[in-house]
Amino acid sequence: MFGRSNAEDASDEVLNPYDTSQHAEREALLPTSRETEPSLPLEKPRLAVCSKSQFSILHISAAFLTGVIACVLFQVVIYPSCFTGFAHRIQQSNDDVIATALAPPYVGSTEAHHFPPTKPTNAYPSLFPTNVGHAGGTPTGAEPAVIATAPSYPIQKGQCSDKLISPESFEPALSGGKGPEAGVKGKKSKGFNLLRSWGNLSPWYSVDRGTFGLDSGPEIPETCRITGLHFLHRHGARYPTAWTSYGGPAKFATKIHKNPEKWNASGDLDFLNDWTYKLGEELLTPFGRQQLFDLGVSLRMKYGFLLQNFTESDTIPVFRTESQDRMLASALNFAIGFFGYPYEGQYQQSITIEADGFNNTLAPYKTCPNANDGSKSDRGRWYLDRWATHYLRDAQRRLITQLRGFHLTIEDVFAMQQMCAYETVALGYSKFCELFTEDEWEGFNYGLDLTFWYNSAFGSPTARVQGIGYIQELVSRLTHTPIATHNSSTNGTLTDNPITFPLGQSLYVDATHEVVVLNILTALNLTTLAKTGPLPYTHIPKHRSFRVAEIAPFATNVQFQLLACASVPDPQIRIIVNDGVVPLTGIRGCPDQDDGMCPVDVFVAAQKEIIQKTDWVYDCHGNWTIPEGTKWETVTGDSPKAL
């Protein structure tokens, strides 16, 4: 549910109940759609003829009794479960209701389409070369520089040219329209956007100017020019992860598939009677691939001119990602968008290993044991559990009447909301989206804020320590100085090598998970994102500063812009999250500047101080505890320090 959880090590031991490699035989026997009896043509009506009855009352009664007996025998043979133990199935709770039209046995089962075939019979690569020569004229032109030359900045709306379909009932609200359907189930919010109400499962979009407190945009401030860019981004939209703390689409599918003969759906949930689980696990979806391709194209259009520095130094860029499939696929799709095909020879892709025992700033939890202790890393579960019970109470009451014979819990209803988001970014559309009101979607959005605030960001006791390794690398790059001491998640084998960790590049691109992006933003001490925290579980605060949909959605991206300005003497840096400029006033010494700029040397000095105060050994390996819930809080992502 929550992307790369800090407790994900546990996922290595959890079997996916719908892993087709484990259930291949069963799945092969299950139909992929509901089978119905073919309809027979209606007979032509006959004219009534007045005539003397040919049968007596005795004949008619005997025929009727024979028909009744035949029907009963037919039911016993075809549906024996309707009669077995009937006396024991008197309704005692909602679990015990026996529906009149039962769901078919395949409901909730996994449906998978394996492409490409492992050994296609018509594959002859030698007959289909990718380069046959005769390319024609190939003179190149100047690199684009939209960030510096265009009169306005290109805005990302989040849908990649409307490739995702929203429910019809949401469309007026999405377009800002008015009327009875401007929202769902009676609500009339003008600015509601379903795709921006899914927390970390939302597609990334350009946040509004001023979202983080500055009336400034990502375009270059007056008198300034761009000298470099450090670009950090998340992977694109994916299938659900193997591990989930609360909810989980696969868990819900498993539950409804377990006893389909006991329940029946109606009304808004009627589609469940034929529904199968069509989601994979952790891989990028087609839309996710599109997101990263578009992100690559967008960055080339804005900052392509920075490649001139590589031409002048006779070098090529080094971009980084890590070994998980969705991470590598994201990086390569980004590269195709940025460099075009073929991208070989235009850059080098560093692939760091995400596995236990490997230091990796893009997956720091693998070497931080306390980040895998649920009492520390999954604090958000306590808050989410209580919040979901509050905001989904009405939805549970409404839906439970349309799912007779099924014990529908609050967690199941939350999983339905997750299913909406996951099916939309994987399949393009989801019927689950139509089940909830705008208020309930706002509740879902806030539930994910609670989760990530307490698990991965300013409310987490292990957030800063996990982000500190990347901060060390950032300082190393900004100062063109190798890392002197490896005392966190930095990997000395890679960062001590100027080929695999070059210094002095004008462009850096790193791909990671949303939890790590949040770790890094926390470690940087961007206090404006935390000013309304800690987050309560009893209500949604007005004008809250921390929204995961704005900070860490699918394909979220952070620009560290480096600038030289005629109006100030020193090189400047500023941080832009999803096209929103973030104030740096929480960083010691950085001024309250209209465009969010801070002198690079001041920024670096403050980050060195944070690095020096962060204790990797104690925070990651120390034997410390914290109580659950509101009995202990932090708004800096720090652990409780030893006395």
Side-chain angles (χ1 to χ4, degrees), residues 8-9 191 237 284 344 362 387 416 468 478 528 538-539 584 625:
E8 189 174 348
D9 285 351
L284 280 188
E344 289 83 357
L362 303 178
W387 170 244
M416 287 180 171
I468 207 65
L478 291 173
T528 55
T538 55
H539 65 282
L584 303 184
T625 60

Side-chain angles (χ1 to χ4, degrees), residues 275 280 349 388-389 391 403 418 474 485 582 607 629:
W275 178 81
Q349 184 69 65
T389 300
Y391 88 89
L403 196 57
Q418 290 178 295
L474 180 62
T485 304
V582 181
Q607 297 308 317

Side-chain angles (χ1 to χ4, degrees), residues 216-231:
S216 180
E219 59 275 3
I220 302 174
E222 291 185 10
T223 80
C224 299
R225 62 183 177 86
I226 297 287
T227 60
L229 178 72
H230 298 250
F231 192 70

Side-chain angles (χ1 to χ4, degrees), residues 29 40 73 79 98 112 127 137 145 222 269 271 280 328 444 490 527 533 622:
L29 295 175
L40 298 177
L73 291 175
Y79 295 112
I98 302 302
L127 298 180
E222 291 185 10
L269 293 178
F271 71 93
L328 180 56
F444 179 72
T490 58
T527 56

